[in-house]
Amino acid sequence: AEHFDDARIRQAADLVSRRIVRTLATRPPKFSAAGSDLFYAACLGARITGDRDLADAALAATRQYAKNFVPELEVFLQVSGVNRAVIDTGLNLLPFYWAAERDPTLLDFAVRHNRALLKAGIVRDDGSVYQAIEFRPRTAEPRRRYNMQGYSDTTTWARGQSWAMHNYANAFEATGDAEFLDVARASSRWYVEHLPVDHVPHYDFGDPAVPHVPRDSCSAAISANALLKLAALDPASASWALPAGRAIVDELLANYLSPGGVLLRGSWGRLPPEKAGVGISRFPLEDVMPYGNYWIVEALYRLLHDDRSLLSLTISKERIQ
């Protein structure tokens, strides 16, 4: 709606945003992915429209989400009550950066979560990541680091790596914390250095059956955004992050986008039987991924607009949402 200045799209976006935020403002979500719904619908919707009611509802929903924080572990679990913290959840902390301008205490939840995952070792020494961490009972000590959707616990699930790049670039943008920048750089360099020559990864970097396994265009679209953001935030990374991000987008547009604008050839990965069995994944076939079809739009927005303040996570006391 913002890009095309289209009243029909704006009306539809407004309807969806209000429906989402009405639900999320009433109770804590059971699944952490609700944070992305909240940010991209209500938080950005409030920023675009200046609607105070929408902003108030988004703030209330962020406070509801905060109730899922587990103080003894210092993290948000992927699913409430299930002993599992995942790298994916970083995507869902964006409302806390947005809301911090009206309630600074909310920023602390995102910072503590990100630091706790680092302390628990979700990022390996070489910059690659695990997808998930299971904790020892009643402690913040990791009992197990693993990949639910990757080939094995010792390989690197491509979308998990993309989430790490995205998450820690966001955390650095919001806080200016040098530790978060170091992780964003390391995870991004690892990703770029392990890409195939056509810039789109297979679902897992370490599956021995590569190249005869699914690609994940979804991971590529997420990582392109992370690289474009890192290049803008960190001049020291721009020389390699910017061309890498552009190359990924160029490849997706040329060979992965349908004539109707749908991003093809994504993959859920090797989901556990209880999830794969309900029809979420068709592995080893490739899928159309909802995440990828959002992220290709944001990547194009970033490349087409010099002013990216709409997507900014920099916390400013002067800009009250």
Side-chain angles (χ1 to χ4, degrees):
E2 181 73 6
H3 176 76
F4 291 106
D5 195 23
D6 187 304
R8 294 172 301 171
I9 298 177
R10 191 177 298 273
Q11 183 179 20
D14 185 72
L15 176 65
V16 172
S17 297
R18 292 180 191 280
R19 179 164 295 179
I20 287 173
V21 79
R22 279 199 302 268
T23 300
L24 295 177
T26 60
R27 60 186 180 273
K30 295 181 179 179
F31 188 54
S32 63
S36 60
D37 300 333
L38 171 58
F39 180 76
Y40 292 108
C43 300
L44 284 191
R47 181 174 289 175
I48 290 169
T49 63
D51 187 296
R52 179 63 62 173
D53 290 339
L54 189 58
D56 289 345
L59 180 61
T62 305
R63 288 171 173 155
Q64 290 287 356
Y65 194 107
K67 294 178 182 178
N68 284 341
F69 189 76
V70 183
E72 58 269 30
L73 302 178
E74 293 277 286
V75 298
F76 290 98
L77 299 174
Q78 184 186 35
V79 181
S80 182
V82 177
N83 182 4
R84 182 174 67 237
V86 295
I87 194 66
D88 322 27
T89 298
L91 162 69
N92 301 289
L93 303 181
L94 300 181
F96 292 90
Y97 305 136
W98 171 87
E101 291 178 345
R102 294 182 64 180
D103 183 351
T105 64
L106 290 170
L107 177 63
D108 192 48
F109 290 100
V111 171
R112 290 165 68 188
H113 173 91
N114 284 321
R115 286 181 176 157
L117 286 187
L118 293 179
K119 183 178 179 180
I122 203 163
V123 179
R124 303 182 181 110
D125 290 341
D126 65 356
S128 65
V129 303
Y130 296 98
Q131 181 184 4
I133 290 180
E134 181 181 297
F135 296 95
R136 297 187 185 280
R138 296 178 296 279
T139 77
E141 291 297 317
R143 179 167 62 189
R144 178 187 174 204
R145 303 178 185 92
Y146 63 107
N147 296 315
M148 292 185 294
Q149 292 165 250
Y151 175 76
S152 76
D153 293 345
T154 60
T155 59
T156 302
W157 178 50
R159 194 154 67 254
Q161 191 72 21
S162 299
W163 289 139
M165 297 161 61
H166 180 270
N167 176 37
Y168 286 101
N170 291 338
F172 170 68
E173 181 181 12
T175 66
D177 190 310
E179 180 183 22
F180 295 150
L181 175 59
D182 288 343
V183 179
R185 283 175 178 162
S187 58
S188 296
R189 287 291 300 207
W190 191 97
Y191 189 93
V192 170
E193 290 172 357
H194 288 79
L195 282 176
V197 293
D198 60 1
H199 312 293
V200 176
H202 297 85
Y203 84 99
D204 189 292
F205 286 96
D207 191 320
V210 169
H212 306 293
V213 293
R215 298 279 188 154
D216 189 13
S217 62
C218 179
S219 167
I222 297 164
S223 67
N225 281 279
L227 290 165
L228 294 173
K229 173 175 283 194
L230 180 63
L233 293 173
D234 179 35
S237 299
S239 62
W240 58 268
L242 181 58
R246 287 183 175 274
I248 291 170
V249 174
D250 287 346
E251 177 65 18
L252 293 176
L253 295 181
N255 294 312
Y256 288 76
L257 207 64
S258 79
V262 176
L263 189 65
L264 306 174
R265 303 187 66 189
S267 175
W268 289 103
R270 294 180 184 270
L271 284 170
E274 65 271 18
K275 289 189 176 182
V278 297
I280 296 175
S281 172
R282 300 183 303 160
F283 192 91
L285 300 180
E286 293 171 331
D287 285 292
V288 173
M289 301 290 297
Y291 306 120
N293 278 279
Y294 167 76
W295 291 104
I296 189 62
V297 173
E298 181 172 323
L300 291 172
Y301 186 94
R302 289 183 179 278
L303 289 172
L304 291 169
H305 292 260
D306 292 330
D307 180 4
R308 299 166 186 168
S309 57
L310 170 64
L311 298 169
S312 174
L313 300 176
T314 302
I315 297 169
S316 168
K317 293 181 180 178
E318 288 75 31
R319 189 184 66 213
I320 303 297
Q321 301 298 334

